[in-house]
Amino acid sequence: GTMGHGIAQVSALAGYRVERCSGAACTNFAQIGANTAANIVAFADTFGLVTATSYSYRVRAFNATDSSAFSTTATAITGSPVTPGVTFVGAGEITSCASQGSVLTAKLIDSLVAKDPNTIVFTTGNNVADSTSNSYATCFQDPRWGKFLSRIRPAIGQRDYDKGPDAAFSYFGDKVGAAGKGWYSYDVGSTWHVIVLNTSTWQWGSTMMTDPTSEQNVWLAADLAASAGKKCTIAIMNLRRYYSYGSFENMNVKNIWNTLHASGVEMVIDGYDKYYERWNPQDHDMHADPTGGVVQFTVGTGGRTLDNYATAWKPVAEVPNLAVRDASTWGVLKLTLNDNSYEYEFIPTTPGGFTDKSSAPVPCH
């Protein structure tokens, strides 16, 4: 703070002495730091401060023979230590052997892992989308996303079954949930819960999504109830509830979205469409819900040939709740999961290309 406020004038001023005590209503002041020069108007306290602690300060001026009365006392509380957010990065629609896109997106993830060795990599399904002759072992391994297998948390899409009913489960093991199921959940940090769902129709048709009594939906309701103590929740699945062409909505996942919205989930991250979209918070029926709604990120930009629905897309301004859309570049969605908030950034493989970045942390509701 500014020196000298409330201090009686001292002739031939030599400088100031700053005293401090700690704790609420403390009185045991003692000088900190050396005497200051007479022309100093601010003082930075760097002397053994403790986080989340109240400190009181007072100042007096002095010269060779005299000292002023003490200033009025000023009190401040130090902040708590800042915990770095967890880096959570991924995309879906990742690889066909013919495309180099997944090599490029893997390089983006490499750079993030180098900065944060605890980075979690997610996928939104359709991890390998080729004929059965091209397997995970040949099309997903280094230099593609297979290099992140130790940290990857995948979702399954319809195309993951092109390699056979067990191919994804054999490759990812229990990282993709119980064999033959493809739904699971896990916690990140102290406040985040992540739910991964299987929205393919290969095994069960659509009833595993649409029937409230299906095995997956019963599990989902129980998992949400068990994790109710977590402030922030993400759901990841391949099928998207909303898209910006045609009818704008996929009815197969309406029941799932209703369950997620009713439980206060922050966001759903999906793939299926091979481009990027971010939707403003909304309910399960395309109504804006800015305080309790679910944000949808569609990140089908992992490396497969990008979709071009130029003739079918409705302009962004004409699609309810759609915030931004881009199909110009592959890329990954990077989330920073803080305690009780998150930040997002779409990172393109095209240098200087399209990006979408939060201007401030988004609080969990």
Side-chain angles (χ1 to χ4, degrees), residues 47-129:
F47 300 91
L49 294 172
V50 177
T51 59
T53 300
S54 174
Y55 289 94
S56 295
Y57 298 87
R58 64 186 187 184
V59 182
R60 71 194 313 175
F62 70 93
N63 63 15
T65 60
D66 196 11
S67 295
S68 74
F70 283 109
S71 67
T72 54
T73 298
T75 300
I77 300 175
T78 52
S80 298
V82 176
T83 303
V86 176
T87 302
F88 191 74
V89 61
E93 313 303 318
I94 295 169
T95 184
S96 64
C97 278
S99 173
Q100 288 299 299
S102 58
V103 176
L104 298 176
T105 52
K107 287 181 178 178
L108 296 179
I109 296 173
D110 261 337
S111 67
L112 295 174
V113 171
K115 296 175 184 175
D116 177 7
N118 296 315
T119 293
I120 297 170
V121 179
F122 68 86
T123 84
T124 66
N126 290 352
N127 301 286
V128 177

Side-chain angles (χ1 to χ4, degrees), residues 236-313:
I236 300 176
M237 57 191 184
N238 184 245
L239 279 185
R240 67 282 183 263
R241 172 75 180 107
Y242 299 114
Y243 46 89
S244 57
Y245 57 91
S247 66
F248 297 156
E249 60 177 336
N250 186 309
M251 299 303 290
N252 278 346
V253 291
K254 183 175 181 177
N255 181 71
I256 288 174
W257 191 284
N258 188 21
T259 301
L260 298 173
H261 176 253
S263 295
V265 168
E266 308 307 318
M267 72 183 87
V268 173
I269 312 174
D270 53 53
Y272 190 84
D273 289 314
K274 298 185 286 298
Y275 55 77
Y276 174 82
E277 287 181 333
R278 176 173 55 84
W279 296 68
N280 291 321
Q282 55 191 321
D283 68 6
H284 66 288
D285 225 5
M286 219 167 193
H287 299 130
D289 183 1
T291 57
V294 182
V295 173
Q296 178 182 295
F297 290 95
T298 296
V299 197
T301 53
R304 293 181 64 198
T305 302
L306 294 166
D307 286 328
N308 182 359
Y309 293 145
T311 58
W313 271 326

Side-chain angles (χ1 to χ4, degrees), residues 72-265:
T72 54
T73 298
T75 300
I77 300 175
T78 52
S80 298
V82 176
T83 303
V86 176
T87 302
F88 191 74
V89 61
E93 313 303 318
I94 295 169
T95 184
S96 64
C97 278
S99 173
Q100 288 299 299
S102 58
V103 176
L104 298 176
T105 52
K107 287 181 178 178
L108 296 179
I109 296 173
D110 261 337
S111 67
L112 295 174
V113 171
K115 296 175 184 175
D116 177 7
N118 296 315
T119 293
I120 297 170
V121 179
F122 68 86
T123 84
T124 66
N126 290 352
N127 301 286
V128 177
D130 269 326
S131 66
T132 54
S133 61
N134 291 317
S135 67
Y136 286 90
T138 57
C139 289
F140 203 73
Q141 286 301 106
D142 197 349
R144 296 176 170 87
W145 289 44
K147 67 173 74 176
F148 313 118
L149 193 58
S150 65
R151 66 181 71 241
I152 210 163
R153 303 309 302 252
I156 289 181
Q158 187 82 356
R159 299 298 300 273
D160 286 300
Y161 287 94
D162 290 350
K163 270 61 62 187
D166 301 320
F169 297 98
S170 296
Y171 180 75
F172 290 118
D174 60 7
K175 290 179 176 298
V176 75
K181 307 292 187 186
W183 54 82
Y184 62 98
S185 67
Y186 57 98
D187 294 333
V188 178
S190 60
T191 59
W192 284 91
H193 185 65
V194 181
I195 295 167
V196 182
L197 299 172
N198 184 351
T199 56
S200 65
T201 59
W202 188 90
Q203 287 173 284
W204 310 284
S206 62
T207 57
M208 194 60 79
M209 293 176 275
T210 58
D211 182 356
T213 67
S214 74
E215 186 180 359
Q216 181 171 229
N217 279 329
V218 169
W219 172 88
L220 174 60
D223 185 83
L224 286 165
S227 64
K230 294 292 182 181
K231 174 73 173 174
C232 315
T233 303
I234 298 170
I236 300 176
M237 57 191 184
N238 184 245
L239 279 185
R240 67 282 183 263
R241 172 75 180 107
Y242 299 114
Y243 46 89
S244 57
Y245 57 91
S247 66
F248 297 156
E249 60 177 336
N250 186 309
M251 299 303 290
N252 278 346
V253 291
K254 183 175 181 177
N255 181 71
I256 288 174
W257 191 284
N258 188 21
T259 301
L260 298 173
H261 176 253
S263 295
V265 168

